[in-house]
Amino acid sequence: MTVGEQCGERLFLSDMTRLGHDASQETHADFGEQQMKKWVRPLIGAFLLFVGVVWSLQGSGVVDNSEVMSGESQWLFIGLIVAIVGVTLLVGGIRKLRADRR
């Protein structure tokens, strides 16, 4: 089983183990890191969607929790833009997750 190539020579699993390199541990760590990266986009998208909706509701005056943001139309528009970015990231991330399962 070939693990990698270095200076044109093939390194085999037995050679890597003899050199004190645990290839299975590195592969497992890489796999876990890749799995985490797949979830970053949808999680950030969901967070931005939530924040955008809250800001939009505060800007429109529906939610009256903030003295600074309530009733200010600029926060309605900022919230809508943030929510649209959040939906885009969320949908794109979910599509990528589904595509990677196949």
Side-chain angles (χ1 to χ4, degrees):
M1 173 185 274
T2 302
V3 174
E5 293 185 20
Q6 184 178 17
C7 300
E9 297 178 14
R10 291 185 177 200
L11 298 175
F12 293 91
L13 185 57
S14 59
D15 295 334
M16 296 297 284
T17 305
R18 191 168 18 96
L19 295 172
H21 186 275
D22 187 6
S24 64
Q25 191 175 36
E26 181 179 323
T27 303
H28 182 67
D30 290 343
F31 178 75
E33 185 177 326
Q34 290 172 358
Q35 292 298 320
M36 279 183 41
K37 285 182 180 179
K38 289 179 183 179
W39 283 97
V40 169
R41 184 180 292 172
L43 288 175
I44 291 174
F47 176 75
L48 288 176
L49 176 61
F50 175 75
V51 169
V53 168
V54 169
W55 286 354
S56 295
L57 291 174
Q58 286 180 333
S60 65
V62 174
V63 177
D64 200 22
N65 289 342
S66 173
E67 294 177 14
V68 177
M69 296 172 69
S70 294
E72 296 289 329
S73 62
Q74 71 182 17
W75 288 107
L76 171 65
F77 296 115
I78 291 171
L80 289 174
I81 292 170
V82 170
I84 290 170
V85 170
V87 167
T88 304
L89 288 174
L90 182 62
V91 170
I94 289 173
R95 284 184 179 172
K96 181 153 178 61
L97 283 171
R98 287 185 179 172
D100 289 344
R101 282 189 193 174
R102 296 178 189 169

